[in-house]
Amino acid sequence: MPRTVSSLTATILGTPRVGPNRELKRAIEGYWAGRIDKARLESVAADVRTQTWNQLSAAGLDSIPVNTFSYYDQVLDTAVLLGAVPARYDVVPDELDRYFAAARGTAAIAPLEMTKWFDTNYHYIVPEIGPATQFALNPAKVLGEVEEAQKLGTAARPVIIGPITFLALSKAVDGAEPPIGRLDELIAVYATLLATLANHGAEWVQIDEPILATDVLDNAADLARHTYGVLGDLSYRPAIFVATYFGELTDALPALAATPVEAIGVDLVAGSASAIAATPELADKTVVAGIVDGRNIWRTDLQSALGTLASLRGSVGRLAVSTSCSTLHVPYTLDAEPDIDAVLRSWLAFGFEKVTEVVALAKGLTHGREAIAGEVAASNAAVASRKADLRLHNSDVRERLASIMASGHSRGPAAERRKSQDARLNLPALPTTTIGSYPQTVEIRKARAALVAREIDKVEYTNRMKAEVESVIRLQEQLGLDVLVHGEPERNDMVQYFAEQLDGFFATANGWVQSYGTRCVRPPILYGDVARTKPMTVDWATYAQSLTDKPVKGMLTGPVTILAWSFVRDDQPLADSANQVALAIRDETVDLEAAGIAIIQVDEPALRELLPLRRKDKNAYLDWAVSAFRLSTSGVADSTQIHTHLCYSEFGEVIGAIADLDADVTSVEAARSHMEIVGDLTAAGFANSIGPGVYDIHSPRVPETSEIVEGLRAALSAVGPDRLWVNPDCGLKTRKTDEVEAALRNMVEAAKQVRANA
Ligand code: GLN
Ligand code: ZN
């Protein structure tokens, strides 16, 4: 047991780290491009850390998370910490370059895989654990940050991803058993780490175990009891704070509470407070109450939060206030948004504003509500203003929605649709197409920047984009593709583009959030009822169609994806918001159809991402997600062909839902999963057409015609020639034009060869 430590009363679980103006992002990209050296990069990084810590201390937190900084990703950092980076990167001599090689690959070595962090839009690097993996502690980064923070006088609390979560998120390679089997080995490494941290003066350590809030492991409670039993029993260590987030702990809570750890963090936004009162073992623990939402942007209702906190007091040893999870998932501060409407602004709290909420709540908890009377009054006013705001309730939209839902929103039988589409479209067997976007050329980027800087006007911008559309149409005609697209040059982002045109959303100017590595996105904020006031894509689609006799596919983003990549309302069920967005997309499909567009694709790449973390919640989600998609696509005639596109490789749990979407054509990422998806979808009862991606667009490599032929033959054996489409596995916007041209030429050639023999 550690000696007495200072108590923990107000903290957050982690912070954004790209820099308030994305300084770190720019520095890292500058380093990759050779524009700045390592010393310069390290100094930018140190500045970002110092600024963050100073700000958190000054705001009044009494325990500051450190080691939440990262050059790329915290799971990759943990792999480095534990000596679990695959040996294939050892050929890169410099440590930092080796780290980036694991994250992004080099010309010669493939990177580690990347996948979504729980149900967020943040992507982590997936560690590989194989027979050759030998764990070995490498604590330089965490010790460096602890020391750096201590020098500033910060009450530094190192944050480490826990062994259970680390192993559960890792992937077994080279025939190894599931990594979780190596838990005991890893516990020994963590034991050494804890002693090392104690030696370096760390009073507290935060160990993150979000996996305990999911159903990924069947025996989560046992593993928690065992791991934190062993680590808690160590005689020389910092006080241990096990942080959990993104959901409720169920039986892992009493299991953890029965171990000797000092503090347990619970997410009171995703889960309820009642479990705490029901866990008597918490009577001598510090409970770190994650009551301020760390991943959405709404201002906390302080009065109600204080009530919840007060009700917990009697059930726990000590109570600390915190965000529900790291604020990595929200932008830095509202201060960077001078143009937000003042009313809307009063409803919001970004990263830094959340810190002030935590501090206020901790103060109110210790000194009584009167001590924060001003803050509570302001919060009450915001709550009242939001409730009363007319923009939250558009009765026109609600009535239309209710009437469509009441009259049903399915299309006619797929076979009938197929007949009228065949008659209208006259496509060859194995039709070739692409997923929507074409390369974001230098010209497109320049034009966008010039528009933002007001160097060119909207008319000039539109003309330049039209020139792009024309060149993309000409390219596709020349390549001999069967179904063309306009290339999406006018879209900054597939969600933001729609959010900017819909009532009920607003786009931030500076609300950047890390998506992976140096990639940041600006999720729009959905605050009110959604309404489409005018067509959003029809001009672009009809312009493209006017240039060619081949069919041009209209391109829309689906309701689930629009929600997944936005900050959403927390005052109504997500399903209700999804239906409102679906209605807007439905209106757009109807307008596209009326304008003569015969094929419309509604992308749902995020269908899998929003899947709830607990099994018991999954069906309800899939029901509303599928229903919203159908609502968005069932307003058109049988003769209009609906496509959808999904892009992630682990379809397993959602395969039935994909079939239920009932799109006429579904294109999916498959190049890396070897066409298995075709068989799986067919086995799930899907009888419509499928476009398994025939090559991986995430790599610059140009696929050989023969490889594509081979993949197509494999797919053909599962579905037959009448249901197979030929396309890349995702949009082409990240590729270079010459790569795209060469790859598509081979793809079209492969389709011809296979057709000839089918
Ligand atoms: N239509 C989009 C594009 O091609 C789809 C992107 C995606 O799947 N994420 O860019
Ligand atoms: Zn995709």
Side-chain angles (χ1 to χ4, degrees):
M1 290 287 277
R3 27 189 184 89
T4 9
V5 292
S6 25
S7 61
L8 197 161
T9 69
T11 194
I12 62 175
L13 299 192
T15 67
R17 58 198 180 202
V18 290
N21 295 302
R22 290 180 296 154
E23 293 85 348
L24 183 67
K25 167 201 169 71
R26 286 202 195 90
I28 295 172
E29 289 175 353
Y31 175 73
W32 290 342
R35 286 192 300 271
I36 66 167
D37 65 9
K38 190 167 156 184
R40 176 77 199 127
L41 171 58
E42 285 172 343
S43 107
V44 172
D47 285 348
V48 166
R49 291 191 294 261
T50 304
Q51 204 185 337
T52 302
W53 296 331
N54 284 342
Q55 203 178 35
L56 299 183
S57 302
L61 297 184
D62 57 12
S63 177
I64 311 288
V66 307
N67 196 41
T68 57
F69 167 84
S70 183
Y71 278 117
Y72 204 95
D73 165 56
Q74 70 271 16
V75 181
L76 179 56
D77 293 331
T78 313
V80 173
L81 169 75
L82 302 173
V85 177
R88 66 174 180 274
Y89 302 105
D90 289 351
V91 293
V92 182
D94 177 79
E95 208 181 331
L96 183 62
D97 293 341
R98 188 154 67 238
Y99 174 86
F100 286 135
R104 319 164 60 221
T106 66
I109 322 172
L112 292 171
E113 269 177 30
M114 195 163 71
T115 194
K116 301 257 168 161
W117 176 244
F118 298 88
D119 56 352
T120 74
N121 189 24
Y122 175 79
H123 306 62
Y124 72 93
I125 298 284
V126 183
E128 292 178 1
I129 309 286
T133 310
Q134 277 189 349
F135 298 120
L137 189 63
N138 175 17
K141 173 181 183 286
V142 54
L143 296 181
E145 284 184 37
V146 167
E147 196 175 311
E148 196 181 26
Q150 285 166 344
K151 271 193 197 136
L152 294 168
T154 306
R157 180 184 80 243
V159 177
I160 313 279
I161 292 178
I164 308 175
T165 297
F166 178 78
L167 291 172
L169 296 181
S170 296
K171 166 180 160 180
V173 293
D174 304 331
E177 294 293 304
I180 197 69
R182 300 188 60 178
L183 185 59
D184 279 326
E185 256 175 87
L186 211 51
I187 291 174
V189 178
Y190 276 74
T192 314
L193 172 62
L194 293 187
T196 311
L197 289 171
N199 270 335
H200 281 75
E203 284 199 322
W204 282 94
V205 61
Q206 173 183 327
I207 308 187
D208 283 8
E209 291 286 17
I211 205 77
L212 301 179
T214 73
D215 285 332
V216 170
L217 301 163
D218 292 329
N219 52 347
D222 293 339
L223 297 175
R225 189 178 300 112
H226 172 63
T227 305
Y228 292 95
V230 174
L231 294 178
D233 274 339
L234 295 171
S235 55
Y236 185 62
R237 61 168 176 82
I240 298 175
F241 160 28
V242 180
T244 67
Y245 39 88
F246 299 147
E248 223 156 10
L249 285 180
T250 65
D251 57 343
L253 182 61
L256 262 184
T259 70
V261 303
E262 284 71 21
I264 296 170
V266 289
D267 183 336
L268 295 181
V269 177
S272 90
S274 57
I276 293 174
T279 310
E281 295 89 341
L282 290 170
D284 62 349
K285 302 288 182 210
T286 294
V287 166
V288 182
I291 192 130
V292 169
D293 195 341
R295 56 186 287 192
N296 207 341
I297 43 57
W298 302 109
R299 184 174 186 156
T300 305
D301 178 341
L302 293 181
Q303 179 158 319
S304 128
L306 261 185
T308 306
L309 292 169
S311 75
L312 292 177
R313 227 191 199 144
S315 317
V316 306
R318 286 175 186 195
L319 196 57
V321 183
S322 165
T323 48
S324 60
C325 60
S326 168
T327 56
L328 175 68
H329 310 288
V330 294
Y332 266 81
T333 172
L334 271 174
D335 288 348
E337 300 297 331
D339 297 331
I340 302 185
D341 158 299
V343 176
L344 226 57
R345 181 193 198 89
S346 75
W347 306 344
L348 302 175
F350 287 1
F352 183 67
E353 292 74 32
K354 289 177 187 294
V355 173
T356 61
E357 292 181 333
V358 165
V359 171
L361 286 168
K363 192 167 161 198
L365 199 57
T366 323
H367 301 290
R369 203 183 124 174
E370 307 67 48
I372 55 162
E375 286 92 333
V376 172
S379 156
N380 285 345
V383 170
S385 138
R386 190 170 161 210
K387 260 202 193 116
D389 199 282
L390 294 176
R391 290 170 291 188
L392 268 59
H393 198 97
N394 180 330
S395 41
D396 194 38
V397 164
R398 289 181 183 242
E399 278 157 28
R400 275 193 65 216
L401 199 51
S403 100
I404 296 174
M405 298 302 276
S407 61
H409 53 281
S410 300
R411 299 186 78 195
E416 299 294 312
R417 293 173 354 224
R418 174 74 197 252
K419 256 185 239 153
S420 51
Q421 290 162 22
D422 282 352
R424 179 177 182 188
L425 294 168
N426 217 349
L427 295 168
L430 278 70
T432 53
T433 190
T434 52
I435 303 305
S437 57
Y438 270 71
Q440 287 268 328
T441 59
V442 179
E443 289 73 38
I444 297 177
R445 267 177 245 208
K446 270 194 194 148
R448 222 184 315 279
L451 179 70
V452 172
R454 305 231 166 97
E455 288 156 24
I456 60 172
D457 61 11
K458 200 78 215 205
V459 176
E460 170 63 15
Y461 174 76
T462 305
N463 286 338
R464 292 196 194 176
M465 294 302 120
K466 281 186 161 176
E468 280 294 328
V469 170
E470 173 153 22
S471 80
V472 164
I473 292 285
R474 295 293 163 247
L475 172 65
Q476 295 172 86
E477 284 193 317
Q478 183 217 323
L479 289 167
L481 286 148
D482 300 307
V483 171
L484 312 194
V485 296
H486 80 290
E488 305 178 23
E490 79 289 9
R491 301 188 189 175
N492 37 12
D493 173 276
M494 65 185 288
V495 168
Q496 198 181 335
Y497 178 78
F498 291 95
E500 277 172 3
Q501 302 187 68
L502 290 169
D503 282 0
F505 282 94
F506 82 88
T508 66
N510 256 306
W512 296 101
V513 174
Q514 186 180 18
S515 171
Y516 62 86
T518 59
R519 184 168 156 76
C520 300
V521 293
R522 263 183 310 159
I525 297 178
L526 170 58
Y527 65 92
D529 277 1
V530 177
R532 191 195 73 139
T533 55
K534 55 178 189 332
M536 303 180 282
T537 65
V538 174
D539 286 350
W540 293 104
T542 50
Y543 173 66
Q545 186 65 80
S546 75
L547 300 171
T548 178
D549 294 332
K550 296 264 178 84
V552 170
K553 180 160 70 163
M555 208 45 72
L556 304 173
T557 303
V560 177
T561 300
I562 289 184
L563 291 188
W565 297 347
S566 299
F567 291 116
V568 291
R569 292 174 75 162
D570 61 353
D571 61 340
Q572 68 179 20
L574 210 45
D576 293 356
S577 299
N579 283 337
Q580 292 182 356
V581 176
L583 182 63
I585 300 298
R586 177 186 178 97
D587 289 346
E588 188 73 14
T589 62
V590 170
D591 282 347
L592 282 168
E593 176 179 67
I597 301 298
I599 306 181
I600 302 169
Q601 177 171 312
V602 179
D603 289 325
E604 283 292 20
L607 184 71
R608 168 76 177 68
E609 178 181 321
L610 280 196
L611 193 68
L613 301 174
R614 291 291 191 187
R615 233 167 273 136
K616 66 170 176 37
D617 303 325
K618 289 183 181 172
N619 284 340
Y621 159 71
L622 290 172
D623 283 351
W624 70 249
V626 167
S627 166
F629 181 86
R630 285 179 165 232
L631 174 64
S632 70
T633 51
S634 58
V636 294
D638 278 4
S639 60
T640 295
Q641 189 170 71
I642 295 291
H643 289 215
T644 190
H645 167 70
L646 307 147
C647 52
Y648 35 81
S649 20
E650 282 161 39
F651 292 95
E653 294 180 292
V654 295
I655 201 100
I658 297 176
D660 289 346
L661 296 177
D662 193 31
D664 296 302
V665 181
T666 301
S667 68
V668 289
E669 179 180 313
R672 287 185 293 182
S673 55
H674 308 293
M675 302 281 165
E676 284 155 14
I677 181 72
V678 180
D680 293 351
L681 259 176
T682 303
F686 187 63
N688 304 351
S689 299
I690 309 176
V694 296
Y695 75 89
D696 178 9
I697 64 92
H698 301 94
S699 143
R701 195 176 153 268
V702 172
E704 301 288 339
T705 305
S706 58
E707 300 166 28
I708 304 178
V709 165
E710 202 180 307
L712 284 174
R713 294 227 164 100
L716 259 187
S717 66
V719 290
D722 298 340
R723 291 170 49 206
L724 189 61
W725 280 64
V726 181
N727 46 257
D729 72 353
C730 197
L732 303 169
K733 69 167 160 250
T734 56
R735 295 269 64 89
K736 303 241 175 336
T737 303
D738 51 346
E739 294 159 9
V740 162
E741 221 182 302
L744 292 180
R745 180 163 290 122
N746 291 351
M747 185 185 90
V748 170
E749 172 57 29
K752 279 191 190 141
Q753 290 183 13
V754 177
R755 252 176 229 159
N757 298 318

